[in-house]
């Protein structure tokens, strides 16, 4: 089983929502890439996305506080 330390993933992030949306978006991209290439893997796209974020291979863009307040 793959255990994820959420606090470690959340370090330096302002919004858990942004983290969840970022993981979901990247997982969908990974799924599309695998379908396009015909690649078959036992790894789940969500876990791959989490590992990429944890290893700083990709980053999560978050809105500024001003953007959140004006929405």
């Amino acid at each position: 089983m793959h255990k994820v330390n959420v606090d470690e993933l959340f370090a330096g992030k302002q919004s858990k929502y942004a983290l969840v949306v970022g993981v979901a978006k990247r997982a969908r991209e990974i799924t599309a890439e695998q379908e396009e290439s015909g690649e078959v893997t036992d790894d789940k796209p969500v876990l791959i996305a989490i590992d990429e974020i944890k290893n700083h291979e990709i980053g999560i863009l978050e809105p500024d506080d001003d953007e959140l307040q004006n929405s």
Side-chain angles (χ1 to χ4, degrees):
M1 179 188 241
H2 192 86
K3 293 191 178 191
V4 177
N5 183 344
V6 176
D7 292 330
E8 181 181 311
L9 271 181
F10 192 64
K13 307 285 187 286
Q14 297 174 3
S15 167
K16 289 182 182 177
Y17 177 78
L19 180 63
V20 169
V21 170
V23 168
K25 183 175 181 178
R26 179 61 185 138
R28 287 190 302 270
E29 290 173 354
I30 292 168
T31 300
E33 290 168 4
Q34 289 176 345
E35 287 176 355
E36 187 175 298
S37 69
E39 180 182 343
V40 177
T41 180
D42 290 335
D43 297 328
K44 298 193 181 312
V46 170
L47 295 179
I48 295 170
I50 289 171
D51 284 339
E52 288 179 352
I53 292 170
K54 186 169 62 173
N55 296 328
H56 304 287
E57 294 173 23
I58 63 169
I60 303 294
L61 296 178
E62 298 182 86
D64 294 333
D65 288 336
D66 293 339
E67 291 175 337
L68 291 174
Q69 292 174 354
N70 293 330
S71 297

